[in-house]
Amino acid sequence: MNPRRTLATAGRVLTQIRHDPRTVVLLLAVPSLLIGLLAWIFSDTRVFDTVGPAMIALFPFTIMFVVTSITTLRERRTGTLERLLSMPLGKGDFILGYTLAFGLLAVLQSSIAVGFSVWVCGLEIQGSIWLLLAVAVADAILGTTLGLLASAFARTEFQVVQFMPLLVFPQILLCGIFLPRDQLPDALQAVSDWLPLSHAVDALRAVATDSQDAAYVAGELLIIGAWIVGAVVLGSITLRRRTP
Amino acid sequence: MTSETSAVVVRDLRARRGAHPVLHGLNLTVPSGLVVGLIGPSGCGKTTLMRAIVGVQIVRSGTVTVLGRPAGSAPLRRRVGYVTQDASVYDDLTVRQNLLYFRSVLGVPLGDVDRVIDATDLAPYAGQLAGSLSGGQRSRVSLAGALLGSPELLVLDEPTVGLDPVLRVELWSLFHRLAAAGTSLLVSSHVMDEASRCDRLLLMRGGEILADDTPAGLLGTTGTPDIEAAFLALIASHPSVDDTFPAGPTDAGHS
């Protein structure tokens, strides 16, 4: 790995996205639009205040996962990935370059989603809005790195697409949106304790209701951070220079 | 021919592309400093062989030695240039941005970008998005990327497909200029008239090498007037090569 190649890769990915303004708009606006829709659906109830924080975790996470895995899938299909891997680009340079580029987009996307939820949709946040933003950003970066991991694991495009239901949907089902996690069957609760989205949702709820101290949120952030690092490392290791 | 004077030595190479066995015990040598043509129909295993030489193909058995080292080993990644059959460039970057990125990855001087743009006659399009170019122009961007850093071995998979005849002649003269400067080139083609432009030919069919000779030598031994006739004569004298060998996804999927 080499910082120059990593940064060159991140810069290249951002330049590509800059050439596609529609993608930039979609990427930045869609999570907020979905949160707005949800707020509208529940406008006559108190439901939005309960599920709103979870949605700040859910939408950016899912969208970043999809966008990242599709972008790297495109590298695979157009042969540019094969070209890069026949050149002196480290696998870590590739994964980390993408993480940096999409991480930057994740910061923008999450900031807009948090701002929109609080100031437009009227989501009540008892705790620190900065802490809320920190968790949201970490969560969106997590979506990016899991998307990278999925596409590094996969050898074909079909496999990449199927990692979305495999890696994302179970986390959504088990993160406590459908049923509070402490009411899940014991085995599922144990599984959900290990899933990063559960911790992101827990942390966002804690900040929204100010029910826990900053140390608790920091602990949850650390767990999400560990998943991010783990996904980057595993993604770098499993990316294959040689394919069938 | 010893390995010191050979750019590539392939011994008993077996490989599958997807589920299909494509190469079944291939032996060949690519001498250095020459333009070697790898000529054969689509699906005969040219791409699989080239991927094995570049080190991106999973091989089942056999050895591939490139510039004295095992194919795909790390030091080779800046000494070997590879152009895939489909132009592997970023459509949403300009020509120059593509080359600037490849330059950063290779760690070669900035001025090299202008050199390869000129060598491939891309100067008028340098500021255009690669996706807005014609097929021939895009494949030249891909070629320009492989020329960065002046690698010792160039592996070019059908680099002249879809080019207009004038440009094709120009590229072949570029290949010979590079060879004269010491670069070894392995250039695949399914167009027989390009074969006569090569210093040496490897005729390939059904995953096997039918002939390894100079164009003149090939015409001499087969007593034929052109390369296409020579190829047909060789096929007729090689009953071991299965005529109905199924075309793997190798070339079919890319052409």
Side-chain angles (χ1 to χ4, degrees):
Chain A
M1 261 182 29
N2 161 309
R4 193 195 66 234
R5 296 196 185 105
T6 304
L7 289 175
T9 302
R12 185 264 297 172
V13 173
L14 288 172
T15 311
Q16 281 181 285
I17 293 170
R18 217 182 41 184
H19 282 298
D20 184 0
R22 196 176 299 181
T23 292
V24 177
V25 172
L26 285 171
L27 206 56
L28 297 182
V30 167
S32 298
L33 289 176
L34 291 172
I35 290 169
L37 178 64
L38 199 79
W40 193 7
I41 291 171
F42 293 113
S43 50
D44 295 330
T45 69
R46 300 285 302 161
V47 177
F48 182 64
D49 279 331
T50 357
V51 298
M55 294 304 134
I56 294 175
L58 195 60
F59 292 137
F61 172 78
T62 314
I63 288 168
M64 290 312 282
F65 181 94
V66 174
V67 169
T68 316
S69 55
I70 295 292
T71 315
T72 41
L73 162 79
R74 207 172 50 158
E75 288 245 17
R76 203 178 283 275
R77 212 179 40 212
T78 57
T80 47
L81 181 62
E82 180 165 305
R83 167 172 226 148
L84 293 179
L85 292 179
S86 75
M87 288 164 70
L89 185 80
K91 295 185 284 184
D93 293 327
F94 180 81
I95 300 282
L96 212 57
Y98 261 97
T99 307
L100 288 177
F102 280 100
L104 190 68
L105 290 169
V107 170
L108 294 175
Q109 186 194 53
S110 301
S111 306
I112 293 171
V114 166
F116 189 83
S117 306
V118 174
W119 290 305
V120 179
C121 303
L123 184 68
E124 280 182 35
I125 303 296
Q126 313 288 335
S128 155
I129 194 157
W130 293 108
L131 214 47
L132 189 81
L133 184 60
V135 179
V137 167
D139 180 57
I141 294 175
L142 175 72
T144 295
T145 54
L146 286 182
L148 285 168
L149 175 61
S151 61
F153 251 119
R155 288 191 173 180
T156 66
E157 341 181 327
F158 279 128
Q159 290 176 12
V160 175
V161 176
Q162 308 213 47
F163 274 115
M164 155 98 193
L166 185 69
L167 289 180
V168 173
F169 288 1
Q171 294 201 56
I172 296 175
L173 294 176
L174 295 174
C175 75
I177 297 176
F178 290 92
L179 189 69
R181 295 206 299 120
D182 53 14
Q183 294 173 32
L184 289 171
D186 288 347
L188 290 181
Q189 195 182 335
V191 172
S192 87
D193 279 343
W194 283 94
L195 298 177
L197 191 63
S198 310
H199 292 279
V201 170
D202 283 356
L204 288 172
R205 282 206 172 126
V207 177
T209 56
D210 207 12
S211 54
Q212 305 275 356
D213 58 7
Y216 168 84
V217 179
E220 298 291 61
L221 267 176
L222 213 61
I223 294 174
I224 299 169
W227 268 88
I228 291 173
V229 173
V232 167
V233 171
L234 205 58
S236 309
I237 294 172
T238 49
L239 192 64
R240 293 275 167 245
R241 278 193 198 271
R242 289 181 185 265
T243 46
Chain B
M1 212 170 291
T2 66
S3 59
E4 281 94 64
T5 60
S6 305
V8 180
V9 180
V10 174
R11 288 287 166 259
D12 201 31
L13 178 65
R14 289 166 200 279
R16 289 165 171 261
R17 194 81 168 103
H20 299 272
V22 177
L23 305 177
H24 353 246
L26 197 68
N27 290 290
L28 63 88
T29 303
V30 176
S32 58
L34 296 179
V35 180
V36 177
L38 180 62
I39 312 292
S42 263
C44 75
K46 300 191 296 290
T47 297
T48 308
L49 172 60
M50 291 186 138
R51 293 180 85 243
I53 290 171
V54 176
V56 295
Q57 170 72 42
I58 294 177
V59 301
R60 297 178 76 76
S61 64
T63 59
V64 182
T65 310
V66 177
L67 304 172
R69 292 173 180 274
S73 56
L76 288 178
R77 285 180 204 135
R78 63 183 76 243
R79 297 172 65 195
V80 178
Y82 175 40
V83 174
T84 51
Q85 195 168 348
D86 293 324
S88 49
V89 296
Y90 298 101
D91 279 344
D92 40 12
L93 292 182
T94 67
V95 172
R96 184 176 293 278
Q97 285 166 347
N98 267 288
L99 297 172
L100 284 172
Y101 174 58
F102 295 140
R103 177 206 79 89
S104 305
V105 171
L106 288 165
V108 299
L110 194 60
D112 222 29
V113 169
D114 285 318
R115 179 184 68 84
V116 299
I117 286 178
D118 287 339
T120 49
D121 224 1
L122 283 168
Y125 319 105
Q128 281 189 38
L129 290 182
S132 71
L133 301 177
S134 72
Q137 289 163 343
R138 282 177 79 242
S139 61
R140 271 187 288 155
V141 181
S142 199
L143 175 63
L147 297 179
L148 285 166
S150 307
E152 294 155 64
L153 170 67
L154 279 171
V155 179
L156 312 176
D157 198 354
E158 309 230 0
T160 57
V161 168
L163 292 187
D164 92 78
V166 178
L167 207 57
R168 196 189 286 202
V169 171
E170 278 177 17
L171 278 186
W172 277 99
S173 72
L174 170 67
F175 298 161
H176 283 286
R177 280 204 307 281
L178 291 166
T183 309
S184 310
L185 292 96
L186 180 64
V187 185
S188 79
S189 178
H190 65 268
V191 187
M192 296 294 164
D193 73 348
E194 290 195 332
S196 54
R197 301 183 190 278
C198 302
D199 298 323
R200 281 192 80 83
L201 291 177
L202 295 164
L203 291 192
M204 195 172 182
R205 189 162 186 270
E208 294 184 22
I209 300 291
L210 299 189
D212 176 359
D213 207 341
T214 61
L218 195 66
L219 299 183
T221 48
T222 53
T224 47
D226 59 55
I227 302 293
E228 180 134 27
F231 203 174
L232 288 171
L234 283 167
I235 292 167
S237 64
H238 273 73
S240 65
V241 178
D242 183 3
D243 279 337
T244 59
F245 186 82
T250 319
D251 284 350
H254 286 261
S255 46

mmCIF file of all heavy atoms in Angstrom, chain B residues 12-40:
data_model
loop_
_atom_site.group_PDB
_atom_site.id
_atom_site.type_symbol
_atom_site.label_atom_id
_atom_site.label_comp_id
_atom_site.label_asym_id
_atom_site.label_seq_id
_atom_site.Cartn_x
_atom_site.Cartn_y
_atom_site.Cartn_z
ATOM 1 N N ASP B 12 3.726 -26.128 -20.520
ATOM 2 C CA ASP B 12 2.659 -27.053 -20.132
ATOM 3 C C ASP B 12 1.507 -26.342 -19.405
ATOM 4 O O ASP B 12 1.039 -26.787 -18.365
ATOM 5 C CB ASP B 12 3.239 -28.164 -19.243
ATOM 6 C CG ASP B 12 2.317 -29.382 -19.242
ATOM 7 O OD1 ASP B 12 1.646 -29.617 -20.265
ATOM 8 O OD2 ASP B 12 2.236 -30.067 -18.197
ATOM 9 N N LEU B 13 1.075 -25.233 -19.968
ATOM 10 C CA LEU B 13 0.063 -24.402 -19.310
ATOM 11 C C LEU B 13 -1.345 -24.953 -19.541
ATOM 12 O O LEU B 13 -1.754 -25.197 -20.675
ATOM 13 C CB LEU B 13 0.151 -22.971 -19.845
ATOM 14 C CG LEU B 13 -0.882 -21.979 -19.293
ATOM 15 C CD1 LEU B 13 -0.678 -21.758 -17.804
ATOM 16 C CD2 LEU B 13 -0.801 -20.655 -20.033
ATOM 17 N N ARG B 14 -2.035 -25.169 -18.436
ATOM 18 C CA ARG B 14 -3.443 -25.575 -18.507
ATOM 19 C C ARG B 14 -4.275 -24.530 -17.782
ATOM 20 O O ARG B 14 -3.921 -24.119 -16.681
ATOM 21 C CB ARG B 14 -3.659 -26.930 -17.824
ATOM 22 C CG ARG B 14 -3.078 -28.079 -18.604
ATOM 23 C CD ARG B 14 -3.001 -29.349 -17.771
ATOM 24 N NE ARG B 14 -2.034 -30.245 -18.395
ATOM 25 C CZ ARG B 14 -2.327 -31.019 -19.437
ATOM 26 N NH1 ARG B 14 -3.553 -31.052 -19.917
ATOM 27 N NH2 ARG B 14 -1.390 -31.769 -19.984
ATOM 28 N N ALA B 15 -5.354 -24.103 -18.413
ATOM 29 C CA ALA B 15 -6.218 -23.110 -17.774
ATOM 30 C C ALA B 15 -7.640 -23.278 -18.273
ATOM 31 O O ALA B 15 -7.885 -23.752 -19.384
ATOM 32 C CB ALA B 15 -5.719 -21.696 -18.075
ATOM 33 N N ARG B 16 -8.565 -22.906 -17.414
ATOM 34 C CA ARG B 16 -9.976 -22.873 -17.778
ATOM 35 C C ARG B 16 -10.422 -21.436 -17.791
ATOM 36 O O ARG B 16 -9.932 -20.616 -17.018
ATOM 37 C CB ARG B 16 -10.837 -23.588 -16.724
ATOM 38 C CG ARG B 16 -10.687 -25.052 -16.683
ATOM 39 C CD ARG B 16 -11.289 -25.576 -15.399
ATOM 40 N NE ARG B 16 -11.331 -27.026 -15.451
ATOM 41 C CZ ARG B 16 -12.420 -27.722 -15.766
ATOM 42 N NH1 ARG B 16 -13.556 -27.114 -15.976
ATOM 43 N NH2 ARG B 16 -12.382 -29.026 -15.830
ATOM 44 N N ARG B 17 -11.374 -21.143 -18.657
ATOM 45 C CA ARG B 17 -12.014 -19.830 -18.618
ATOM 46 C C ARG B 17 -13.451 -20.132 -18.263
ATOM 47 O O ARG B 17 -14.167 -20.755 -19.065
ATOM 48 C CB ARG B 17 -11.883 -19.171 -19.992
ATOM 49 C CG ARG B 17 -12.197 -17.706 -19.991
ATOM 50 C CD ARG B 17 -11.011 -16.871 -19.501
ATOM 51 N NE ARG B 17 -11.265 -15.459 -19.796
ATOM 52 C CZ ARG B 17 -11.657 -14.582 -18.869
ATOM 53 N NH1 ARG B 17 -11.824 -14.952 -17.626
ATOM 54 N NH2 ARG B 17 -11.864 -13.326 -19.204
ATOM 55 N N GLY B 18 -13.868 -19.731 -17.035
ATOM 56 C CA GLY B 18 -15.178 -20.173 -16.561
ATOM 57 C C GLY B 18 -15.133 -21.676 -16.383
ATOM 58 O O GLY B 18 -14.227 -22.197 -15.752
ATOM 59 N N ALA B 19 -16.080 -22.394 -16.944
ATOM 60 C CA ALA B 19 -16.153 -23.843 -16.772
ATOM 61 C C ALA B 19 -15.427 -24.576 -17.896
ATOM 62 O O ALA B 19 -15.248 -25.781 -17.830
ATOM 63 C CB ALA B 19 -17.613 -24.282 -16.708
ATOM 64 N N HIS B 20 -15.036 -23.855 -18.951
ATOM 65 C CA HIS B 20 -14.470 -24.533 -20.122
ATOM 66 C C HIS B 20 -12.953 -24.638 -20.032
ATOM 67 O O HIS B 20 -12.292 -23.628 -19.805
ATOM 68 C CB HIS B 20 -14.800 -23.752 -21.397
ATOM 69 C CG HIS B 20 -16.259 -23.614 -21.657
ATOM 70 N ND1 HIS B 20 -16.972 -24.549 -22.349
ATOM 71 C CD2 HIS B 20 -17.140 -22.657 -21.284
ATOM 72 C CE1 HIS B 20 -18.239 -24.165 -22.399
ATOM 73 N NE2 HIS B 20 -18.367 -23.022 -21.759
ATOM 74 N N PRO B 21 -12.409 -25.839 -20.231
ATOM 75 C CA PRO B 21 -10.962 -25.918 -20.384
ATOM 76 C C PRO B 21 -10.589 -25.226 -21.693
ATOM 77 O O PRO B 21 -11.190 -25.502 -22.732
ATOM 78 C CB PRO B 21 -10.680 -27.423 -20.475
ATOM 79 C CG PRO B 21 -11.965 -28.117 -20.259
ATOM 80 C CD PRO B 21 -13.078 -27.136 -20.429
ATOM 81 N N VAL B 22 -9.663 -24.280 -21.631
ATOM 82 C CA VAL B 22 -9.307 -23.521 -22.833
ATOM 83 C C VAL B 22 -7.887 -23.854 -23.290
ATOM 84 O O VAL B 22 -7.632 -24.053 -24.469
ATOM 85 C CB VAL B 22 -9.431 -22.004 -22.561
ATOM 86 C CG1 VAL B 22 -8.990 -21.209 -23.781
ATOM 87 C CG2 VAL B 22 -10.876 -21.652 -22.216
ATOM 88 N N LEU B 23 -6.976 -23.921 -22.340
ATOM 89 C CA LEU B 23 -5.592 -24.250 -22.674
ATOM 90 C C LEU B 23 -5.285 -25.617 -22.071
ATOM 91 O O LEU B 23 -5.466 -25.823 -20.878
ATOM 92 C CB LEU B 23 -4.639 -23.195 -22.102
ATOM 93 C CG LEU B 23 -4.924 -21.743 -22.489
ATOM 94 C CD1 LEU B 23 -3.956 -20.799 -21.788
ATOM 95 C CD2 LEU B 23 -4.855 -21.561 -24.001
ATOM 96 N N HIS B 24 -4.814 -26.545 -22.920
ATOM 97 C CA HIS B 24 -4.541 -27.891 -22.395
ATOM 98 C C HIS B 24 -3.086 -28.256 -22.649
ATOM 99 O O HIS B 24 -2.770 -28.971 -23.583
ATOM 100 C CB HIS B 24 -5.454 -28.943 -23.024
ATOM 101 C CG HIS B 24 -6.525 -28.375 -23.912
ATOM 102 N ND1 HIS B 24 -7.860 -28.442 -23.630
ATOM 103 C CD2 HIS B 24 -6.437 -27.688 -25.066
ATOM 104 C CE1 HIS B 24 -8.544 -27.823 -24.578
ATOM 105 N NE2 HIS B 24 -7.707 -27.372 -25.459
ATOM 106 N N GLY B 25 -2.193 -27.747 -21.837
ATOM 107 C CA GLY B 25 -0.789 -28.113 -21.958
ATOM 108 C C GLY B 25 -0.072 -27.330 -23.034
ATOM 109 O O GLY B 25 0.499 -27.900 -23.958
ATOM 110 N N LEU B 26 -0.088 -26.009 -22.909
ATOM 111 C CA LEU B 26 0.467 -25.140 -23.946
ATOM 112 C C LEU B 26 1.955 -24.882 -23.682
ATOM 113 O O LEU B 26 2.363 -24.668 -22.558
ATOM 114 C CB LEU B 26 -0.300 -23.820 -23.922
ATOM 115 C CG LEU B 26 -0.198 -22.918 -25.132
ATOM 116 C CD1 LEU B 26 -0.890 -23.563 -26.326
ATOM 117 C CD2 LEU B 26 -0.842 -21.571 -24.836
ATOM 118 N N ASN B 27 2.761 -24.929 -24.758
ATOM 119 C CA ASN B 27 4.181 -24.580 -24.674
ATOM 120 C C ASN B 27 4.477 -23.525 -25.717
ATOM 121 O O ASN B 27 4.106 -23.694 -26.880
ATOM 122 C CB ASN B 27 5.058 -25.804 -24.952
ATOM 123 C CG ASN B 27 4.983 -26.806 -23.822
ATOM 124 O OD1 ASN B 27 5.480 -26.557 -22.728
ATOM 125 N ND2 ASN B 27 4.324 -27.927 -24.072
ATOM 126 N N LEU B 28 5.123 -22.445 -25.319
ATOM 127 C CA LEU B 28 5.542 -21.468 -26.315
ATOM 128 C C LEU B 28 6.578 -20.523 -25.716
ATOM 129 O O LEU B 28 6.757 -20.450 -24.500
ATOM 130 C CB LEU B 28 4.351 -20.672 -26.860
ATOM 131 C CG LEU B 28 3.555 -19.788 -25.906
ATOM 132 C CD1 LEU B 28 4.157 -18.388 -25.822
ATOM 133 C CD2 LEU B 28 2.127 -19.664 -26.410
ATOM 134 N N THR B 29 7.251 -19.828 -26.607
ATOM 135 C CA THR B 29 8.264 -18.870 -26.205
ATOM 136 C C THR B 29 8.044 -17.585 -26.997
ATOM 137 O O THR B 29 7.786 -17.644 -28.197
ATOM 138 C CB THR B 29 9.669 -19.418 -26.525
ATOM 139 O OG1 THR B 29 9.808 -20.671 -25.858
ATOM 140 C CG2 THR B 29 10.743 -18.481 -26.041
ATOM 141 N N VAL B 30 8.106 -16.463 -26.302
ATOM 142 C CA VAL B 30 8.043 -15.177 -26.997
ATOM 143 C C VAL B 30 9.433 -14.556 -26.897
ATOM 144 O O VAL B 30 9.865 -14.180 -25.807
ATOM 145 C CB VAL B 30 6.995 -14.245 -26.359
ATOM 146 C CG1 VAL B 30 7.009 -12.882 -27.036
ATOM 147 C CG2 VAL B 30 5.607 -14.866 -26.444
ATOM 148 N N PRO B 31 10.179 -14.485 -28.011
ATOM 149 C CA PRO B 31 11.518 -13.897 -27.947
ATOM 150 C C PRO B 31 11.426 -12.406 -27.656
ATOM 151 O O PRO B 31 10.403 -11.771 -27.946
ATOM 152 C CB PRO B 31 12.097 -14.159 -29.334
ATOM 153 C CG PRO B 31 10.944 -14.435 -30.214
ATOM 154 C CD PRO B 31 9.816 -14.918 -29.368
ATOM 155 N N SER B 32 12.469 -11.843 -27.070
ATOM 156 C CA SER B 32 12.388 -10.423 -26.701
ATOM 157 C C SER B 32 12.801 -9.539 -27.872
ATOM 158 O O SER B 32 13.498 -9.964 -28.783
ATOM 159 C CB SER B 32 13.234 -10.147 -25.464
ATOM 160 O OG SER B 32 14.554 -10.524 -25.714
ATOM 161 N N GLY B 33 12.301 -8.306 -27.818
ATOM 162 C CA GLY B 33 12.679 -7.310 -28.815
ATOM 163 C C GLY B 33 12.035 -7.496 -30.171
ATOM 164 O O GLY B 33 12.469 -6.901 -31.148
ATOM 165 N N LEU B 34 10.985 -8.314 -30.232
ATOM 166 C CA LEU B 34 10.299 -8.539 -31.515
ATOM 167 C C LEU B 34 8.803 -8.278 -31.363
ATOM 168 O O LEU B 34 8.272 -8.254 -30.258
ATOM 169 C CB LEU B 34 10.485 -9.993 -31.978
ATOM 170 C CG LEU B 34 11.900 -10.473 -32.303
ATOM 171 C CD1 LEU B 34 11.860 -11.937 -32.709
ATOM 172 C CD2 LEU B 34 12.530 -9.627 -33.409
ATOM 173 N N VAL B 35 8.153 -8.071 -32.512
ATOM 174 C CA VAL B 35 6.695 -8.018 -32.531
ATOM 175 C C VAL B 35 6.198 -9.422 -32.873
ATOM 176 O O VAL B 35 6.391 -9.902 -33.989
ATOM 177 C CB VAL B 35 6.175 -7.014 -33.580
ATOM 178 C CG1 VAL B 35 4.646 -6.985 -33.560
ATOM 179 C CG2 VAL B 35 6.741 -5.633 -33.336
ATOM 180 N N VAL B 36 5.639 -10.088 -31.880
ATOM 181 C CA VAL B 36 5.170 -11.460 -32.077
ATOM 182 C C VAL B 36 3.651 -11.434 -32.187
ATOM 183 O O VAL B 36 2.966 -10.910 -31.302
ATOM 184 C CB VAL B 36 5.614 -12.367 -30.913
ATOM 185 C CG1 VAL B 36 5.060 -13.775 -31.089
ATOM 186 C CG2 VAL B 36 7.129 -12.394 -30.823
ATOM 187 N N GLY B 37 3.148 -11.978 -33.273
ATOM 188 C CA GLY B 37 1.704 -12.017 -33.475
ATOM 189 C C GLY B 37 1.125 -13.305 -32.932
ATOM 190 O O GLY B 37 1.659 -14.391 -33.170
ATOM 191 N N LEU B 38 0.039 -13.182 -32.164
ATOM 192 C CA LEU B 38 -0.688 -14.364 -31.692
ATOM 193 C C LEU B 38 -1.969 -14.398 -32.517
ATOM 194 O O LEU B 38 -2.888 -13.620 -32.277
ATOM 195 C CB LEU B 38 -0.972 -14.229 -30.193
ATOM 196 C CG LEU B 38 -1.736 -15.362 -29.516
ATOM 197 C CD1 LEU B 38 -0.961 -16.665 -29.600
ATOM 198 C CD2 LEU B 38 -2.016 -15.016 -28.059
ATOM 199 N N ILE B 39 -1.969 -15.275 -33.510
ATOM 200 C CA ILE B 39 -3.032 -15.236 -34.514
ATOM 201 C C ILE B 39 -3.919 -16.461 -34.375
ATOM 202 O O ILE B 39 -3.424 -17.593 -34.273
ATOM 203 C CB ILE B 39 -2.421 -15.217 -35.941
ATOM 204 C CG1 ILE B 39 -1.309 -14.171 -36.047
ATOM 205 C CG2 ILE B 39 -3.501 -14.989 -36.986
ATOM 206 C CD1 ILE B 39 -1.742 -12.741 -35.962
ATOM 207 N N GLY B 40 -5.219 -16.234 -34.366
ATOM 208 C CA GLY B 40 -6.134 -17.368 -34.293
ATOM 209 C C GLY B 40 -7.558 -16.875 -34.221
ATOM 210 O O GLY B 40 -7.799 -15.700 -33.946
#
